[in-house]
Amino acid sequence: MTTTVPDAQAPEAVFDAALAADERIEPRDWMPDAYRATLVRQIAQHAHSEIIGMQPEANWITRAPSLRRKAILMAKVQDEAGHGLYLYSAAETLGTGREELLDKLHSGRQRYSSIFNYPTLTWADVGAIGWLVDGAAITNQVPLCRCSYGPYARAMIRICKEESFHQRQGYELLLALSRGTEAQHAMAQDAVNRWWWPSLMMFGPPDDASAHSAQSMAWKIKRHSNDELRQRFVDICVPQAESLGLTLPDPDLRWNEQRGHHDFGAIDWDEFHEVLRGNGPCNEQRIERRRRAHEEGAWVREAAAAYAAKHDGHHGTHDKHAEHTEHDNHGKPEEAAA
Amino acid sequence: MPAALALGDDALVLSHRLGEWAGNAPVLEEEVALANIALDLLGQARALLSLAGDEDELAFLREERAFRNVQLVEQPNGDFAHTIARQLYFSAYQQLLYGQLASGEGPFAPLAAKAVKEVAYHLDHAEHWTLRLGDGTPESHARMQRALDALWRYTGELFEPVEGVSADWPALQDGWSAYVTDVLRRAGLTLPEGPREGAWTAGAGRQGIHTEPFGRMLAEMQHLHRSHPGASW
């Protein structure tokens, strides 16, 4: 309890002072319950997005049109699983567990990014995801590298490096298509047409309708508003689309000299809310596949736990492990062959 | 270069099968591990196929009868135990073979020297899962045994000499048997019985005779590339 702590050292005051000084909050520091809950929600949602986000791209691993592209795509999907692992670890520092979070994902009590409820219909979608979806993610995530919660900020630094790499690869994939045959160019344009608006929705609802924004900004979890980041993203994408030789599907998109920004058309927020409500094109299929992988893998996880209990969980003096280490040195094929 | 095709096709096809696991693994760590192994194998395949010609032409424009991989690597993933059994059998073979090639002076020596380090990791992964599944729960034990039994008939082919690969094939077979026997014993599993040789197994994949699931796998793998003749990606 805090009764013996002098007023100036009250945990709320320490927390507020740390935020004011732009210091990081660490797992063992006191933090308001609502700050903790917000972070768990956001980091878990972020982790879930990495995991669900593997599906639309994995959909093309077995059909990638060249071995080089196949290797790039496999590496990317592998990175996403790794990002999921970092983020679940970051969430666990807040006193929750990966199992609990996965359970919430599978039962629909926690969300993942709405973008992954759209289908990947052609190979070019893999490029559009890299360029636009990862591009939007990076625009969102770079400020999170300065987020007030230390473990999250550090996870984001590692993740952003890899994401930037993926984004460039996606751009390069689209460039190859855009400069390729007529059919390839058309495939690239079609993918950009389908992914542009959903990518803009990744920044969340407009500022005047964003429930958590003000508090998150006060806590320095968020550093910029949804609309600010969305505008930044549009301004980055317009010249990139031009150099790709592709158009963005927005007749209202034009440079505004006075604002020094691009104006762009209205987002279909009804669609956004429908997708969030579970009525997007792939919501059911994504969760179903995740649930199935988890359920079908239960016996494997149980086997690993049972094995560990038998072999690593020696609580007494009998050292089973030594016995096994000895075994492990035998029968490696290079020795057996010698 | 038929030898490069045989070894390259093994790696290419197994890599493809492992790629099918993406998003379906029993635990996140295995998403990373299986993709990692698939990537290593794809890297080996690209190096080997490039020795034989253009990697993409060879991967995407040959028909089933022209592939030279062993039948073991084209077997469907099945459950996690089948995937692990396939990997144990194949990685043990690959490690012994590449170990020999790396210490020789043939055209595959530099490639084998790099690959043998990757394969040591693959084998360690497969071995530890064989132990966990074999000595885990009654269900995992039964599944692992079933998988080992089901894939056994495809292991004889591994030791059919490949033209242009200068290896001591009998020593390879002995080393492989000794290793597999030891791992299965430690896992509390039984070494499968039954034929490992016969017209439809020994040497068949190397001669372009494959199992039914393989054609379907190739249809999926090659479809996009074949739909855009001459395009570059």
Side-chain angles (χ1 to χ4, degrees):
Chain A
M1 297 304 286
T2 58
T3 46
T4 58
V5 179
D7 272 359
Q9 293 299 306
E12 293 88 341
V14 174
F15 177 81
D16 290 342
L19 284 191
D22 252 344
E23 284 167 12
R24 294 275 159 82
I25 309 299
E26 296 298 337
R28 298 173 73 170
D29 295 341
W30 182 90
M31 62 189 85
D33 289 343
Y35 176 85
R36 187 184 298 273
T38 295
L39 278 167
V40 168
R41 181 177 52 80
Q42 184 173 338
I43 300 174
Q45 177 169 330
H46 197 158
H48 299 333
S49 301
E50 296 283 357
I51 301 314
I52 296 285
M54 294 167 69
Q55 289 184 35
E57 294 178 288
N59 185 36
W60 281 92
I61 285 180
T62 53
R63 292 176 289 170
S66 75
L67 297 186
R68 174 171 167 265
R69 294 290 178 197
K70 187 172 184 164
I72 290 171
L73 184 56
M74 271 185 182
K76 182 180 180 190
V77 174
Q78 182 191 14
D79 281 349
E80 280 157 4
H83 295 172
L85 285 169
Y86 296 160
L87 287 162
Y88 285 122
S89 298
E92 284 178 338
T93 65
L94 293 160
T96 180
R98 197 210 296 184
E99 281 308 306
E100 187 188 336
L101 297 177
L102 282 175
D103 189 52
K104 285 183 176 161
L105 169 66
H106 299 154
S107 59
R109 282 174 293 155
Q110 280 179 345
R111 283 174 173 163
Y112 54 89
S113 178
S114 61
I115 193 80
F116 300 120
N117 293 312
Y118 290 87
T120 46
L121 302 178
T122 71
W123 170 250
D125 290 36
V126 171
I129 288 181
W131 177 43
L132 294 173
V133 175
D134 293 346
I138 293 164
T139 308
N140 257 329
Q141 290 171 8
V142 164
L144 287 173
C145 297
R146 295 186 295 123
C147 151
S148 60
Y149 188 58
Y152 193 26
R154 288 188 290 273
M156 291 322 306
I157 290 169
R158 299 176 64 176
I159 290 171
C160 281
K161 283 182 193 161
E162 293 178 350
E163 290 287 4
S164 320
F165 194 59
H166 299 160
Q167 201 250 352
R168 284 206 299 276
Q169 288 170 329
Y171 179 89
E172 196 255 328
L173 190 164
L174 284 181
L175 191 64
L177 294 181
S178 178
R179 292 179 178 172
T181 65
E182 211 172 301
Q184 286 177 306
H185 182 93
M187 190 192 279
Q189 184 61 62
D190 170 62
V192 169
N193 291 348
R194 283 181 288 108
W195 288 91
W196 173 248
W197 291 107
S199 300
L200 293 190
M201 294 177 198
M202 285 174 71
F203 295 92
D207 291 349
D208 52 20
S210 178
H212 305 289
S213 277
Q215 183 60 73
S216 286
M217 285 175 79
W219 277 330
K220 295 190 176 175
I221 296 173
K222 253 181 115 146
R223 299 280 178 160
H224 308 279
S225 79
N226 294 351
D227 286 333
E228 247 175 270
L229 291 170
R230 188 167 12 244
Q231 180 70 59
R232 186 179 297 179
F233 178 68
V234 171
D235 290 339
I236 291 170
C237 286
V238 170
Q240 290 183 347
E242 270 170 36
S243 50
L244 277 172
L246 298 170
T247 59
L248 296 170
D250 180 358
D252 297 326
L253 186 66
R254 60 181 59 86
W255 176 250
N256 181 325
E257 193 67 50
Q258 279 179 321
R259 292 202 306 126
H261 290 291
H262 292 87
D263 291 336
F264 54 97
I267 290 172
D268 182 352
W269 292 113
D270 289 342
E271 176 180 323
F272 177 72
H273 291 296
E274 277 306 303
V275 176
L276 280 192
R277 261 194 289 272
N279 299 326
C282 298
N283 298 57
E284 268 179 50
Q285 135 190 1
R286 298 284 187 245
I287 283 294
E288 181 49 33
R289 167 128 176 230
R290 185 85 265 298
R291 251 191 238 133
R292 201 179 62 227
H294 194 73
E295 280 163 17
E296 287 177 358
W299 69 272
V300 177
R301 296 190 301 276
E302 283 157 18
Y307 181 85
K310 280 186 227 177
H311 295 275
D312 303 329
H314 47 88
H315 300 293
T317 50
H318 176 62
D319 193 357
K320 270 184 165 177
H321 192 71
E323 227 173 275
H324 273 270
T325 312
E326 194 191 326
H327 279 313
D328 287 347
N329 292 334
H330 283 90
K332 290 284 185 196
E334 71 271 34
E335 290 171 21
Chain B
M1 200 176 185
L5 273 190
L7 303 184
D9 286 350
D10 283 351
L12 177 71
V13 171
L14 185 54
S15 167
H16 185 94
R17 284 297 189 205
L18 291 172
E20 294 172 352
W21 270 103
N24 293 309
V27 58
L28 273 178
E29 285 80 355
E30 284 305 301
E31 295 284 0
V32 178
L34 295 172
N36 202 316
I37 296 168
L39 262 175
D40 285 346
L41 288 167
L42 185 53
Q44 294 169 16
R46 295 181 66 191
L48 285 158
L49 293 182
S50 296
L51 289 177
D54 179 272
E55 61 176 37
D56 285 338
E57 270 178 39
L58 288 168
F60 296 103
L61 298 176
R62 272 182 301 158
E63 293 192 356
E64 187 175 339
R65 293 279 284 108
F67 274 81
R68 292 290 175 263
N69 55 284
V70 290
Q71 292 179 349
L72 175 67
V73 294
E74 74 202 30
Q75 296 311 305
N77 288 335
D79 67 4
F80 189 69
H82 276 77
T83 290
I84 291 300
R86 189 182 61 197
Q87 203 64 41
L88 182 80
Y89 288 157
F90 183 73
S91 296
Y93 156 78
Q94 231 191 359
Q95 199 190 32
L96 288 161
L97 177 62
Y98 283 173
Q100 284 193 19
L101 296 178
S103 58
E105 290 189 347
F108 301 116
L111 186 143
K114 179 174 181 286
V116 78
K117 293 175 197 149
E118 297 168 346
V119 177
Y121 160 77
H122 306 169
L123 186 59
D124 188 62
H125 175 262
E127 177 181 314
H128 280 94
W129 272 113
T130 303
L131 294 174
R132 281 185 207 113
L133 299 181
D135 194 14
T137 64
E139 182 184 5
S140 71
H141 177 90
R143 283 180 185 253
M144 193 65 214
Q145 188 66 56
R146 261 203 307 277
L148 290 161
D149 292 346
L151 294 170
W152 184 248
R153 59 181 301 214
Y154 300 106
T155 57
E157 185 181 7
L158 296 170
F159 309 103
E160 286 293 312
V162 176
E163 194 193 327
V165 178
S166 54
D168 182 347
W169 297 95
L172 195 62
Q173 165 130 249
D174 290 347
W176 186 91
S177 297
Y179 170 76
V180 170
T181 304
D182 182 69
V183 173
L184 298 197
R185 180 185 58 75
R186 284 156 53 211
L189 295 159
T190 310
L191 195 72
E193 288 171 6
R196 295 166 65 204
E197 287 169 18
W200 291 99
T201 53
R206 294 278 187 242
Q207 292 155 29
I209 305 290
H210 293 280
T211 55
E212 283 185 350
F214 184 55
R216 193 164 283 107
M217 191 206 100
L218 281 190
E220 183 171 343
M221 183 174 104
Q222 297 182 335
H223 167 260
L224 177 59
H225 186 96
R226 284 182 181 273
S227 300
H228 296 263
S232 54
W233 300 92

